[in-house]
Amino acid sequence: MTPTAGSPIGVFDSGAGGLSVLRAIRARLPNESTLYFGDQQHVPYGLRAMEQIQRLSETIARFLLARDVKIVVIACNTASAAALKFLRDKFPHVRFVGMEPAVKPAAERTRTGKVGVLATPATFQGELYASVIGRFANGVELYQSACEGLVQQIERGDLTGNETRRILHDALKPMAAKQVDVVVLGCTHYPFVIPLIQEIAGADVQVIDPAPAVARQVERLLEADRLKNASAALGTAEFFTSGDPSAFSDLLSLLLGETSAVKQARWSADLQTLSARNAY
Ligand code: DGL
């Protein structure tokens, strides 16, 4: 099938984090339909080997492409770090939009010359992060934290509890002591705890959520490919998880304030296919 302007935008993440990117895409492009896949069976990706993330990402990309998506948004810094280049090589005719920690705007905005980056261990280890630093850090000092356990807390829907607070406190207080004045969210789960981050870091610290910039990039690419939907009707949103659909549905209402049916997609034992019931 060849995608048309009416085809959906495919978006995936290890779990519910990519919903922060989906939210930005839908705010900017309300007429576009979207198809979201959260790999909750394998979340967190941040502790997995690069090769495994590549295999998972390849199968997810096939799953989305089989549903005729016109562009694939890797709404996950970890999967982008591990697999963006790999996917572009595997599927040379497909448009992929990936994510990288927003070090460039942070380096432009900091006044103290000190920037904090919150991401996952796999993102920090990847070549993409090293290249982002090389290209954009520009003499700015970077302080990293992998916020161990934070993705799982957010997957549980715990945005304000004691453990979530402790993880963020441990990440942000040492940064504050170094006069960090800009914090980059290098994991798509973290925008859902911005109020807590802001409370702990202080109102003067700027927090950068890259999702709006990703949505702008999606729009630019759709325009360049003449695939932007010209219809005046609101787009539809379809959701799949490899985890528990009803738990994902609860997260959807907590994180996006939205009630929607969620479909189950199941992995084959060899991770080569994903199949969904009731899917078209
Ligand atoms: N939300 C993802 C990211 O941007 C993945 C987190 C994880 O699964 O470890 O990094």
Side-chain angles (χ1 to χ4, degrees):
M1 278 185 289
T2 310
T4 65
S7 301
I9 296 172
V11 181
F12 81 89
D13 177 45
S14 59
L19 294 175
S20 64
V21 178
L22 184 81
R23 173 173 63 187
I25 292 172
R26 287 164 71 195
R28 184 158 193 103
L29 301 166
N31 305 329
E32 299 289 347
S33 292
T34 56
L35 203 158
Y36 185 91
F37 174 75
D39 191 10
Q40 290 185 300
Q41 186 181 326
H42 296 113
V43 69
Y45 276 13
L47 302 172
R48 293 181 185 275
M50 296 285 171
E51 298 72 38
Q52 194 190 16
I53 300 170
Q54 289 174 353
R55 269 175 80 194
L56 295 169
S57 300
E58 180 180 348
T59 304
I60 296 167
R62 288 193 201 288
F63 175 83
L64 295 173
L65 292 167
R67 283 158 183 80
D68 203 27
V69 299
K70 58 186 174 183
I71 189 167
V72 177
V73 181
I74 309 174
C76 176
N77 290 74
T78 309
S80 299
L84 175 60
K85 189 177 169 309
F86 172 85
L87 290 175
R88 285 184 172 147
D89 289 346
K90 279 263 163 192
F91 304 95
H93 304 298
V94 175
R95 278 287 199 189
F96 288 98
V97 177
M99 311 202 48
E100 59 185 28
V103 169
K104 186 178 184 214
E108 285 160 7
R109 286 186 214 176
T110 178
R111 286 162 187 241
T112 58
K114 294 170 192 224
V115 165
V117 184
L118 309 184
T120 68
T123 296
F124 286 131
Q125 281 152 25
E127 281 168 27
L128 189 61
Y129 185 63
S131 107
V132 165
I133 296 179
R135 280 178 290 146
F136 304 124
N138 221 357
V140 159
E141 279 176 49
L142 296 175
Y143 295 89
Q144 276 109 222
S145 173
C147 297
E148 202 182 313
L150 186 56
V151 166
Q152 293 92 317
Q153 288 301 107
I154 295 167
E155 285 287 320
R156 281 184 207 117
D158 186 341
L159 308 183
T160 52
N162 287 343
E163 179 59 7
T164 305
R165 189 174 280 273
R166 183 200 62 75
I167 295 168
L168 283 172
H169 195 274
D170 289 357
L172 294 166
K173 284 296 173 192
M175 293 183 183
K178 298 282 184 194
Q179 266 86 48
V180 161
D181 63 347
V182 181
V183 171
V184 172
L185 303 186
C187 169
T188 55
H189 281 75
Y190 301 168
F192 293 115
V193 287
I194 286 178
L196 193 51
I197 292 174
Q198 209 72 72
E199 182 195 318
I200 295 169
D204 295 341
V205 170
Q206 286 189 55
V207 177
I208 301 186
D209 171 6
V214 172
R216 285 197 296 278
Q217 175 68 355
V218 170
E219 181 174 34
R220 272 193 292 271
L221 293 174
L222 291 179
E223 281 170 352
D225 293 343
R226 298 179 189 281
L227 283 175
K228 196 171 160 186
N229 196 353
S231 154
L234 273 187
T236 58
E238 198 173 8
F239 298 93
F240 293 88
T241 178
S242 58
D244 173 4
S246 83
F248 191 86
S249 184
D250 291 346
L251 264 180
L252 252 184
S253 70
L254 176 76
L255 302 178
L256 295 192
E258 158 162 351
T259 319
S260 184
V262 176
K263 293 172 190 164
Q264 171 102 67
R266 289 186 200 282
W267 285 97
S268 59
D270 60 4
L271 303 179
Q272 304 274 13
T273 48
L274 262 171
S275 49
R277 267 183 290 140
N278 307 327
Y280 303 90

